[in-house]
Amino acid sequence: MSAIARKVLASVAVAISIFAVGYSLGFFLGPRLVTSSHDDHEDDHEDDHEDDLELAEDHDETDHVALTKQAFDNLGLNLGLPSPREYWRARTVPGEVVEIPGHSKVSVSAPVTGVIESVLVQPGESVISTDQLFTVRITDESLTAAQSKLLASLARGQIVQQEIARLDPLTSSGAVAGRRKRDLEYELAQLESTQAVLKQELLARGLPECMVDEVATQGQLASAIQITAAECERPSVLANRQRIRPVTLQIGAVPTEYAVERINVYPGQTVQRGDELCVINDHSELHIRGQAFESDLPLLDQLSDKQWGITAEFGHNRNAHDRELIIRQDLPLLRVDNLVDADSQTFLFYLPLTNERAHTRGDDHGHSFVSWRFKPGQRVRLSIPVERWEQQLVLPLAAVVTEGPNSVVFVEHIDPGPDSRDPHAERQESEDEHDEIVIELEPIPVRLLHRDDRHAVIAHDGQLPLDKRVAMNAAYELHQAMRMQASGGGHHHHHDH
């Protein structure tokens, strides 16, 4: 064999030996490498799974909302303990404050024909029964003539009485015939009868009784009348005062205080008897007029049988809080109209309303202006009771947030102890007092029985604890904040639940 052939065979043998060694190493070491790679992959998967569990655990632990003092103040959060109480399920109908026809308004008219000398009140002014409203100078000639006849008759009567008194002893002694005295006595009786008729004529012509008596006692013509809104003072009291006396309109059982609603005259104006000088009103007692549909009539009928009253809410609007509402409860039903209102196609019913003074103001001239709490035309919301529920949890509507079929109330979360708090969170809070957590609230699912536009009725089934404070408002905002914190947009704390 040549040298070249021997070199070739040697190279082939070396190559085969290398291949055999490599194959043997691959056969023994390959499974171990594959196993090691698989184990490393499983370790990574287990680490990822643990991270997922930790995230899930963190998600559970963020099922609450943590509020800083600033957030608490911005929400205006109100906290309170829920307690079972009575709740009336009611039907709401609109209403309006109205005056009492024939009683709330009084028209002050001129009792005689004359000229307005002075107007002593202003529109809106509050007046009592003895306050003077107007001074009217009398220009009625027939009234003046009747007064003159009365004064003449009174003067003649005094002369006759004096003559009778002079003749009385002479008649008794026989010096003078008794016929003369009897004639004078007959004339005196006629004068007294004439005086009574003249007094009635003065009353019929508009002169008040107190001034008629004053004309008779003072012996002077009444030239002016001062008009008030109350009954006339006693003549004995008037006798000690000046000649022009307050005169009142005889309007029956008059309340002691009015408000001037409208003035129709001015000084120097000539008025005829019966002309309206002003309108005064008495708003101490008013009515509430409600509008009921035909389906509401059975509810109104049962009020008398069950001795239930109607609740009236004043100042109600979409943004009103409970503290801004004026509520009057247990108002009795006065009556229901027996016809359908043509404008609203509803049945009108009426409730009594006792008014209240809101405030009183005055000016530099001594005028007083009273503002009443309830005013005619004011809108009111009426709640007609339908059913009474006992021992239920009644919360403000803003204390409950509803999402789909679920209703949630936020309850104050109390940590079991200081060891359960996250030290990192405590360090973070201590570093920034502005972001210090002042309260944490957790959502509690509840069963919502009923709600109206102000209240939510929660079942008293033990789900909502009675010994923990509840957020009485801002439930929707708290729900949104909890979502933000759960997604990493807010404070993150660990607690035991």
Side-chain angles (χ1 to χ4, degrees):
M1 180 178 300
S2 63
I4 296 175
R6 285 196 299 271
K7 289 182 179 181
V8 172
L9 288 175
S11 300
V12 172
V14 172
I16 293 173
S17 299
I18 294 173
F19 175 77
V21 173
Y23 180 80
S24 299
L25 292 174
F27 179 78
F28 288 103
L29 298 179
R32 296 183 180 181
L33 294 175
V34 173
T35 303
S36 177
S37 176
H38 179 71
D39 292 340
D40 293 340
H41 179 72
E42 287 184 351
D43 292 340
D44 295 339
H45 180 71
E46 289 178 358
D47 292 341
D48 294 340
H49 181 66
E50 290 177 358
D51 292 341
D52 292 340
L53 291 178
E54 184 178 354
L55 289 175
E57 184 178 348
D58 290 343
H59 177 74
D60 293 337
E61 291 174 351
T62 56
D63 192 15
H64 68 280
V65 57
L67 296 180
T68 62
K69 184 179 184 306
Q70 184 181 32
F72 186 93
D73 294 338
N74 288 339
L75 288 176
L77 199 62
N78 296 322
L79 301 176
L81 292 175
S83 60
R85 68 177 178 88
E86 176 186 81
Y87 175 79
W88 286 89
R89 186 170 68 88
R91 183 173 298 179
T92 303
V93 298
E96 180 183 6
V97 178
V98 296
E99 295 178 328
I100 304 176
H103 296 275
S104 296
K105 285 183 181 296
V106 177
S107 176
V108 179
S109 302
V112 297
T113 298
V115 177
I116 302 295
E117 285 192 342
S118 61
V119 178
L120 306 175
V121 291
Q122 295 182 4
E125 181 179 356
S126 176
V127 294
I128 59 176
S129 57
T130 57
D131 287 342
Q132 299 173 359
L133 307 179
F134 305 94
T135 300
V136 179
R137 178 164 50 85
I138 300 174
T139 59
D140 189 345
E141 295 181 357
S142 59
L143 180 58
T144 303
Q147 292 186 76
S148 299
K149 291 180 181 180
L150 176 60
L151 292 178
S153 177
L154 291 171
R156 176 60 184 169
Q158 290 178 355
I159 295 174
V160 171
Q161 285 180 345
Q162 292 174 359
E163 184 67 15
I164 292 175
R166 187 184 68 83
L167 294 176
D168 186 52
L170 299 176
T171 303
S172 299
S173 64
V176 177
R179 181 178 178 181
R180 175 62 179 165
K181 179 182 176 183
R182 288 194 300 271
D183 291 342
L184 291 175
E185 290 176 345
Y186 177 73
E187 182 181 359
L188 181 61
Q190 286 183 324
L191 289 173
E192 291 177 348
S193 177
T194 301
Q195 292 167 12
V197 172
L198 289 174
K199 288 181 179 179
Q200 293 298 321
E201 181 180 355
L202 292 178
L203 292 174
R205 292 185 179 277
L207 196 66
E209 185 177 0
C210 60
M211 292 200 67
V212 174
D213 295 337
E214 187 177 1
V215 169
T217 56
Q218 298 292 332
Q220 294 180 343
L221 295 176
S223 59
I225 299 177
Q226 291 183 343
I227 301 175
T228 69
E231 295 182 354
C232 183
E233 295 184 75
R234 297 188 305 274
S236 59
V237 177
L238 293 174
N240 298 324
R241 299 188 179 181
Q242 57 182 350
R243 184 174 61 85
I244 300 178
R245 304 301 180 192
V247 180
T248 65
L249 304 182
Q250 303 299 325
I251 50 181
V254 183
T256 59
E257 186 171 4
Y258 300 94
V260 180
E261 181 177 310
R262 184 177 67 252
I263 297 177
N264 302 327
V265 295
Y266 49 86
Q269 179 180 350
T270 300
V271 294
Q272 301 297 318
R273 180 186 175 187
D275 288 350
E276 185 179 78
L277 304 180
C278 70
V279 175
I280 57 178
N281 58 51
D282 170 30
H283 287 168
S284 60
E285 297 290 338
L286 297 170
H287 279 173
I288 298 177
R289 182 176 62 197
Q291 298 178 347
F293 292 99
E294 188 171 358
S295 59
D296 300 324
L297 293 181
L299 300 179
L300 296 176
D301 293 337
Q302 75 174 358
L303 295 180
S304 300
D305 298 336
K306 297 186 177 182
Q307 299 298 316
W308 290 351
I310 297 177
T311 299
E313 295 181 0
F314 302 85
H316 185 275
N317 59 65
R318 183 176 300 177
N319 300 320
H321 300 289
D322 288 351
R323 62 179 179 272
E324 298 174 350
L325 297 178
I326 302 175
I327 301 177
R328 295 294 177 266
Q329 297 178 329
D330 296 329
L331 298 178
L333 178 65
L334 290 179
R335 63 182 178 90
V336 181
D337 279 351
N338 292 318
L339 49 87
V340 179
D341 182 66
D343 297 330
S344 61
Q345 291 299 304
T346 57
F347 294 87
L348 303 180
F349 62 94
Y350 296 86
L351 313 173
L353 177 63
T354 300
N355 212 342
E356 305 169 2
R357 293 171 178 265
H359 50 76
T360 302
R361 296 186 176 91
D363 60 11
D364 297 336
H365 302 285
H367 300 285
S368 177
F369 303 89
V370 174
S371 177
W372 294 95
R373 186 175 302 278
F374 306 116
K375 301 174 176 58
Q378 185 176 357
R379 305 301 300 176
V380 56
R381 193 181 71 163
L382 303 175
S383 298
I384 305 175
V386 177
E387 182 183 3
R388 180 170 59 186
W389 291 350
E390 300 287 350
Q391 296 299 308
Q392 300 296 339
L393 300 178
V394 182
L395 301 178
L397 186 62
V400 181
V401 60
T402 300
E403 185 175 23
N406 301 319
S407 296
V408 171
V409 173
F410 284 88
V411 178
E412 183 179 12
H413 174 75
I414 301 177
D415 293 335
D419 295 338
S420 62
R421 295 182 59 85
D422 186 1
H424 176 71
E426 292 181 356
R427 288 195 303 270
Q428 181 179 357
E429 292 174 5
S430 62
E431 290 173 0
D432 190 358
E433 295 180 356
H434 181 73
D435 293 333
E436 182 179 357
I437 302 300
V438 296
I439 190 172
E440 297 183 4
L441 303 166
E442 58 181 335
I444 299 295
V446 295
R447 182 160 62 95
L448 183 63
L449 299 178
H450 175 75
R451 67 179 176 183
D452 53 28
D453 59 349
R454 292 182 56 238
H455 298 105
V457 183
I458 307 300
H460 184 30
D461 53 6
Q463 186 69 20
L464 186 64
L466 302 183
D467 58 345
K468 291 185 178 181
R469 294 190 299 174
V470 172
M472 294 297 179
N473 63 332
Y476 176 77
E477 290 81 358
L478 292 174
H479 183 67
Q480 295 298 108
M482 184 183 67
R483 284 186 167 185
M484 292 177 59
Q485 293 182 11
S487 62
H491 292 275
H492 192 75
H493 300 277
H494 297 279
H495 299 280
D496 295 333
H497 293 269

